[in-house]
Amino acid sequence: MKNLFIPTKQNSYKPYLLRKACLVFYTIILIVVNSFGGLLGISKVSASNITPANIIALTNQERTATGLNTLSSNSRLASAAMAKAQNMFDEQYWDHFGPNGETPWQFIIASGYNYVYAGENLAKGFRTSEGVVEAWMASPTHKKNILSQNYKDMGIAVMDGVLLGKQTTLVIQMFGNLTTEVYGSTTTTPTESTPVTKSPVIDTGQIKSISISHPKSGGILKDPAVLVKGSVDGDKEEYTVEIIEGVETLTEVQADSDNWEYSSDEIWSDGNHSIYAQVKGSSVKSDDTIFEIDTVAPNILRETLLVTNEDEKYTVTFSTDEDWCEIRIMNDEEEISFLYSETEDVELINFIPTDSVVLYISDQAGNTSELDISEYFLEGDTEEYSNFSLPLLINSIKTSEGINLIVVTLVLILISIEVYVLWKKGKLGKNIGEIFVVGLWVTILTIGIFKGFGGITI
């Protein structure tokens, strides 16, 4: 066994695993894996480390490092980015503008985001979120978008597919701002020389009370385009309703019946809102209506995900980045639902995992995210699986890049041992030429392997 790895007198100071026959064997393995791996079921490494949350966090790190505001995750921009990615796969193009006249702006508008400022960054073929953002920051045009003072919102899509005959991962980053206000801008107060247009005040007549019927106080809304409606008690034929949040009048509504409503394309920000309605020109006003807008789905923190198996009972343990109210686990056509529990442990009794196990998690507003957890239900005697244990290790080794790295690492270790032993024996000079050739072979392979971890931005 020693003669396989270490130069000795018995193997003429040439380890068997570094002889020409073995090097030819390694080369054949690498050619088969990289050229015909798909036919043999050996998959490429997927871009599992590229997630919208990672891209958003890294982008905001770049902005805060230069003193800029952070960008908010916007569900409509994310929807626009997903539509753009799908269109690129459907129409098979790699450009900001499609072959049928598609533009980034049409996807943004179609999502319901009526922007004042908008922008787009694209990337493909990367393996990590860090690689994507670093490449964008190295490009003047992409960097300009990331560090623009015009943007307040951001949406990300990450989608796998075949583009122009090659399996790849697309990353779409869309920026936007619904207002003319930009970072660092100030609002000027009208002076005496600036005319201010005032709406006419309409007498309330016999109106005795006013109320808001929608949204309900204490409610949580998923749609940021809020419909506000209510009614009055009185006999007045015509009146004006002011909708007020804090000390700011959001809008005025003209009405000529007992019922009134306000619907707008304006996007309300995520978080808590407190509004009331008042009949203009009077002291008649409604009670405060307090509600919350939540457009962001909860996400499971992968590093906390753990699956244990004991007596044919699986237990799924995890933590989330925000509150959730329901979990669904899809196992092919079988669906299992769970409501919120204090422990965030989900027990699956008599559960038979298949090749596809997907976990869906929803919040009270109905926002839902999904996570493929198939890898955590591997067959075998191992009782516990987590994000940094056996499943991910096996999953990575089963890829062509994993095999490449194993072969290169093995040869590098063998060369290092050989160089050390020959140096100690005083025989390094006689063998330096052959060692150099093998080292060059390994270097070329290493460059080729890690070149695959890069990608393209436009």
Side-chain angles (χ1 to χ4, degrees), residues 375-436:
E375 61 193 6
Y376 296 87
F377 291 88
L378 296 179
E379 296 180 358
D381 297 329
T382 302
E383 296 294 321
E384 185 174 293
Y385 308 112
S386 70
N387 191 46
F388 297 107
S389 61
L390 185 60
L392 288 185
L393 177 61
I394 292 177
N395 187 56
S396 63
I397 290 177
K398 286 182 179 178
T399 63
S400 62
E401 282 84 358
I403 295 173
N404 289 337
L405 291 173
I406 288 172
V407 172
V408 169
T409 302
L410 172 63
V411 175
L412 282 173
I413 292 173
L414 292 172
I415 290 176
S416 300
I417 294 173
E418 182 182 23
V419 169
Y420 176 76
V421 173
L422 291 177
W423 172 71
K424 293 286 287 185
K425 298 286 186 181
K427 298 179 179 295
L428 182 59
K430 296 179 180 179
N431 296 274
I432 193 67
E434 187 174 353
I435 293 174
F436 174 79

Side-chain angles (χ1 to χ4, degrees), residues 87-122:
N87 183 255
M88 292 177 75
F89 280 126
D90 291 343
E91 301 298 330
Q92 290 294 294
Y93 67 96
W94 170 239
D95 202 315
H96 289 289
F97 301 92
N100 302 314
E102 297 95 338
T103 71
W105 331 124
Q106 77 180 58
F107 296 106
I108 295 176
I109 293 173
S111 73
Y113 190 94
N114 296 316
Y115 66 89
V116 175
Y117 299 101
E120 177 184 76
N121 282 344
L122 303 179

Side-chain angles (χ1 to χ4, degrees), residues 72-84:
S72 300
S73 175
N74 184 278
S75 59
R76 298 198 176 200
L77 285 177
S79 176
M82 289 293 289
K84 171 62 179 286

Side-chain angles (χ1 to χ4, degrees), residues 29 141 145 152 174 185 218 256 273 280 282 308 365 425 430:
I29 288 177
T141 54
N145 267 339
K152 290 187 175 181
M174 287 189 167
S185 67
D256 56 8
H273 294 267
K280 189 168 185 177
S282 78
T308 57
K425 298 286 186 181
K430 296 179 180 179

Side-chain angles (χ1 to χ4, degrees), residues 277-348:
Q278 181 169 345
V279 178
K280 189 168 185 177
S282 78
S283 60
V284 178
K285 65 178 185 179
S286 70
D287 293 333
D288 288 349
T289 295
I290 301 173
F291 61 96
E292 180 183 354
I293 295 176
D294 182 4
T295 63
V296 180
N299 288 304
I300 291 177
L301 304 176
R302 261 195 177 270
E303 63 271 17
T304 68
L305 184 60
L306 184 71
V307 177
T308 57
N309 178 16
E310 183 177 356
D311 298 331
E312 298 184 353
K313 180 181 71 175
Y314 288 94
T315 301
V316 182
T317 306
F318 58 89
S319 296
T320 58
D321 60 357
E322 64 174 90
D323 292 338
W324 60 275
C325 67
E326 182 183 14
I327 277 182
R328 290 178 295 119
I329 294 182
M330 295 287 295
N331 189 24
D332 283 345
E333 297 181 357
E334 179 185 6
E335 178 178 325
I336 306 172
S337 296
F338 303 87
L339 296 180
Y340 176 78
S341 64
E342 294 293 334
T343 60
E344 295 193 348
D345 289 350
V346 175
E347 292 187 351
L348 306 175

